[in-house]
Amino acid sequence: MKKITTKILFLIAAVAFVFTAKAQTIKERISNKDIPVYFYGIDFTKTVLIGDSKANAQDIVSRQFAGINDLLINESGKYDVAGAVRRSDLKTDLTFVNERNEKADPDKLLSSNPEDFNRLSESDITTLIKGFNAGNKEGIGLLFIVGGMSKPDKAIAVWVTWFDIRSKKVLLTDKITGKVGMGFSFRNYWATGIKNVIEQIRNKKYNSWKSE
């Protein structure tokens, strides 16, 4: 009986340790200013554009995806990722994500199925991060992974993902739906949804992540 009780107590302690370690990994590492954070931009390789049959898929892959990412650099005051995640020294590297986006398959981009908006799962995100080249860096990576872009619903689904660069372990991933506003081009139209996601991170999500 004593041996059984000891084993039970050991198991409880082990489970408690795992949950504590997870909380420390997410809460303490993300907010720890001594750990560098690298923002890798927006990954569109798993993206499906819904309800826009006239869109030029080839142009979107070869030009528009890079154009949206460029806005994060050229108009960083408007798309203030650093401020949203409370990092004045946020480092940005779009090299790897641009290379990936250029290799996306245009034939798989367009869809007429509304359910494709929610097609990605956490396991899909984990697989993507395992195959993501983040360079020879130490610290935490931050990547926006777009799943669905719905023209009828005027919305974009973005998995905001924090991961350990060296181990490629996902620390936290959270799907945020960004509402799309006015825009006079494909790039600017969908960039308003990204801006909305960034605003949600700044106003609510970041503090929510820290409390997990």
Side-chain angles (χ1 to χ4, degrees):
M1 183 69 179
K2 184 178 180 180
K3 289 184 178 180
I4 295 176
T5 303
T6 301
K7 288 182 178 179
I8 292 174
L9 291 174
F10 178 80
L11 180 60
I12 292 173
V15 171
F17 175 79
V18 169
F19 278 99
T20 301
K22 182 179 179 182
Q24 289 175 341
T25 299
I26 296 171
K27 179 179 178 180
E28 295 184 3
R29 293 191 66 187
I30 287 177
S31 60
N32 187 343
K33 305 302 180 183
D34 293 328
I35 300 177
V37 175
Y38 295 84
F39 178 53
Y40 288 98
I42 309 167
D43 190 301
F44 289 100
T45 57
K46 299 296 183 182
T47 300
V48 172
L49 176 60
I50 304 162
D52 193 358
S53 60
K54 295 182 179 180
N56 186 334
Q58 184 63 56
D59 180 67
I60 292 170
V61 171
S62 64
R63 196 167 62 90
Q64 302 296 345
F65 287 159
I68 295 173
N69 266 303
D70 286 344
L71 285 176
L72 303 176
I73 301 294
N74 300 331
E75 299 184 27
S76 58
K78 182 177 180 180
Y79 302 91
D80 187 12
V81 179
V85 298
R86 315 308 198 260
R87 290 276 180 159
S88 59
D89 61 343
L90 183 71
K91 302 167 179 61
T92 303
D93 188 346
L94 304 181
T95 304
F96 307 108
V97 82
N98 283 334
E99 291 176 353
R100 285 175 56 84
N101 290 336
E102 289 174 359
K103 296 176 182 178
D105 188 349
D107 293 334
K108 296 180 179 180
L109 178 63
L110 304 184
S111 171
S112 59
N113 184 0
E115 294 183 4
D116 280 340
F117 188 77
N118 298 308
R119 61 194 293 268
L120 295 186
S121 64
E122 288 193 22
S123 62
D124 294 317
I125 304 304
T126 298
T127 300
L128 188 151
I129 292 299
K130 286 181 179 178
F132 188 84
N133 181 3
N136 297 320
K137 298 180 175 68
E138 295 282 350
I140 296 174
L142 174 61
L143 182 67
F144 290 1
I145 302 168
V146 176
M149 303 165 69
S150 175
K151 193 75 177 291
D153 294 333
K154 297 182 179 180
I156 185 169
V158 181
W159 288 82
V160 179
T161 305
W162 300 79
F163 64 98
D164 180 84
I165 295 174
R166 178 174 285 274
S167 68
K168 295 187 179 181
K169 176 184 178 182
V170 173
L171 304 176
L172 181 150
T173 187
D174 192 354
K175 186 179 75 172
I176 303 176
T177 299
K179 290 298 181 181
V180 177
M182 296 297 293
F184 297 102
S185 66
F186 182 94
R187 182 195 69 170
N188 292 340
Y189 180 79
W190 290 105
T192 61
I194 298 297
K195 184 175 183 293
N196 181 258
V197 168
I198 294 170
E199 290 172 349
Q200 291 184 59
I201 295 172
R202 182 186 66 241
N203 296 334
K204 181 179 179 180
K205 287 291 185 177
Y206 182 78
N207 287 332
S208 174
W209 296 333
K210 283 182 61 179
S211 66
E212 289 190 13

